[in-house]
Amino acid sequence: MVRLTRAQTQERNRAKVLAAAKEEFAERGYRDAKIDDIADRAELTRGAVYSNFPGKRALYFAVLADLAEHAPVRPPDEPALTVREALGEVARAWVTRLPLVTDGEHEPSRLGMHLLPEILADEATRKPYAQLMRLNAILLGLAMERLRPPREPDGRLVRLAESALTVLQGAAQLSAAAPGFVDPFNVIRTCEQLAGLDLDDRWFQAPP
């Protein structure tokens, strides 16, 4: 039998904790999940859980990050040729992960419903999350600019990307809080319609 190194053991334990936490959060919800129960599911000690994650919130964020990293990606049938098509594809990919009205309260699709409340609960998480959202908007804006260069030399499409992400984030929260209220097709159409907006967006230029 091959003896695992310390690093390999830690990596194996971390994977076991993540898998157990995903099951616990899905079955009991974030609020009712307990670190001791996660440790029992993973067949590890409470200390082993805390040696990998500082607390339940950090473990919850890690589970969501792991799910996002391993989420299946379906390439579009045809590559987007216009900003409207690109926004439509982004929205379609987003709404496929929204919880359905038929999903139970603790279905895996509802794992993300506590994300924003937990971010709001801690200043240390709000700032990085805001930076992450800004980065997402810049990357999406740059991708759209390759499809449709801005009308002005110093123009950009980042505000348009921010608007689309705002719609999608709102749809995600309402889908969890008000099952059945959000129509995925309306969300897609709304994002597509945003392509026609002129938000007078310019790259900031520092004064000389």
Side-chain angles (χ1 to χ4, degrees), residues 41 48 69 71 85 89 95 119 133 161-162 167 179-180 183 195 199 207:
R41 286 177 183 268
E69 182 179 355
E85 291 176 355
E89 288 300 329
V95 299
I119 289 173
M133 291 304 300
E162 290 173 349
V167 170
D183 184 329
L199 298 177

Side-chain angles (χ1 to χ4, degrees), residues 11-12 40-41 59-60 70 80 89 99 114 138 147 172 192:
E11 183 62 28
R12 183 195 63 181
D40 289 341
R41 286 177 183 268
L59 180 51
Y60 175 61
H70 295 96
E89 288 300 329
H114 296 288
I138 291 172
L147 297 174
E192 289 175 338

